[in-house]
Amino acid sequence: MAKPFAPDELVARIAQALERTRRARAELDQQRESLLMELHDGVSANLARAGLLLAGGEKQNVEANVAAARRAVAEALVETRAAFALLDDGEVELSLLIAEVRRAVSEAAEEHGLRVEVRSEVSGERSVRAARAHVVRRLASEAMTNVLRHAGAKTVRLRFEVRAGALEASLEDDGRGLDASLVKPDGEAGRGLGLARQRAARVGGSVSVRSLPEGGTRFSFVVPLDEPASTG
């Protein structure tokens, strides 16, 4: 017959079980909120935009509206895939994640005739949770989207560094500098930046965008690589 726990040990075990339950619930709530954000602000918004473009507009703008609607549907597909990525509870090698982001930025830049410079100061082997890797991909994508839509740049510089347990990354361009639409929350670019900041904040990270003294814009973001330590 098993020996019963002493009262103090029993209380401690119950407290540990409750803490594990609390952490698991918090993770599920965060995953649900992130998924809802991707579906509402990403998929739904892009599909609604496509519907408006196809339903309205003057006849002379039909081709332009159809092209814009196609882009909106393509973006909705990207957002849908991103939403599925949030359900992955696995881990991603940091070196592979950086290579993936580097490739995506390089391909987008090449398609638009831009030169790319990459500097990575990340070394060693470590992994990151899939949900955090997803945030890194989305922030890098938003940074590159801003360059292509607003900068009028010829060169982009991508940098990675790990400091104090967080991935610090930046995308600089040599374009016109900070576009006013980026800081207007009611504009398309402003909404994109707002979503980027929300994504980063959900994992304890941050996003900043500023003009450079020599011209151009720097889009920087920080994403902690580790889950926050539990308290209590």
Side-chain angles (χ1 to χ4, degrees):
M1 183 174 179
K3 183 180 179 180
F5 294 119
D8 289 346
E9 184 180 359
L10 180 60
V11 170
R13 286 176 175 267
I14 292 174
Q16 291 170 3
L18 290 173
E19 175 60 19
R20 288 194 297 270
T21 301
R22 184 196 66 78
R23 290 202 307 266
R25 179 60 185 270
E27 289 180 4
L28 286 174
D29 286 345
Q30 184 183 67
Q31 185 182 64
R32 181 183 61 188
E33 291 175 4
S34 298
L35 183 59
L36 288 173
M37 185 181 74
E38 295 289 350
L39 293 175
H40 180 270
D41 297 323
V43 180
S44 297
N46 279 306
L47 291 178
R49 181 156 57 94
L52 290 173
L53 287 165
L54 294 175
E58 301 177 359
K59 290 185 177 181
Q60 60 266 32
N61 295 327
V62 168
E63 290 187 4
N65 286 344
V66 169
R70 285 175 176 170
R71 289 194 297 271
V73 171
E75 290 175 10
L77 180 58
V78 171
E79 297 286 354
T80 301
R81 290 170 176 163
F84 281 117
L86 288 173
L87 301 177
D88 186 357
D89 194 38
E91 294 188 338
V92 178
E93 289 294 328
L94 182 58
S95 59
L96 296 179
L97 174 62
I98 289 176
E100 180 184 343
V101 171
R102 174 177 180 171
R103 182 171 60 252
V105 168
S106 297
E107 289 176 353
E110 181 179 354
E111 183 179 345
H112 291 80
L114 302 181
R115 180 167 166 264
V116 181
E117 299 175 1
V118 181
R119 187 182 74 186
S120 175
E121 299 179 11
V122 178
S123 60
E125 296 182 2
R126 68 168 304 163
S127 58
V128 57
R129 291 285 292 274
R132 291 174 182 269
H134 162 74
V135 171
V136 171
R137 295 187 193 99
R138 303 300 293 144
L139 295 180
S141 175
E142 178 63 25
M144 194 61 192
T145 295
N146 287 332
V147 172
L148 298 179
R149 287 181 177 174
H150 310 289
K154 295 181 180 179
T155 302
V156 292
R157 293 177 291 276
L158 181 62
R159 181 188 66 84
F160 299 100
E161 181 180 4
V162 172
R163 183 184 301 175
L167 177 65
E168 299 184 1
S170 66
L171 188 70
E172 297 181 2
D173 65 70
D174 59 355
R176 291 184 291 267
L178 187 61
D179 192 302
S181 64
L182 286 173
V183 295
K184 292 182 179 178
D186 57 341
E188 181 177 352
R191 287 195 299 272
L193 181 56
L195 287 176
R197 284 177 168 147
Q198 289 180 42
R199 286 190 177 100
R202 287 186 188 280
V203 294
S206 62
V207 170
S208 66
V209 181
R210 67 182 184 88
S211 290
L212 300 174
E214 64 273 21
T217 303
R218 176 184 294 148
F219 184 114
S220 304
F221 61 87
V222 179
V223 174
L225 297 175
D226 299 316
E227 299 296 322
S230 61
T231 58

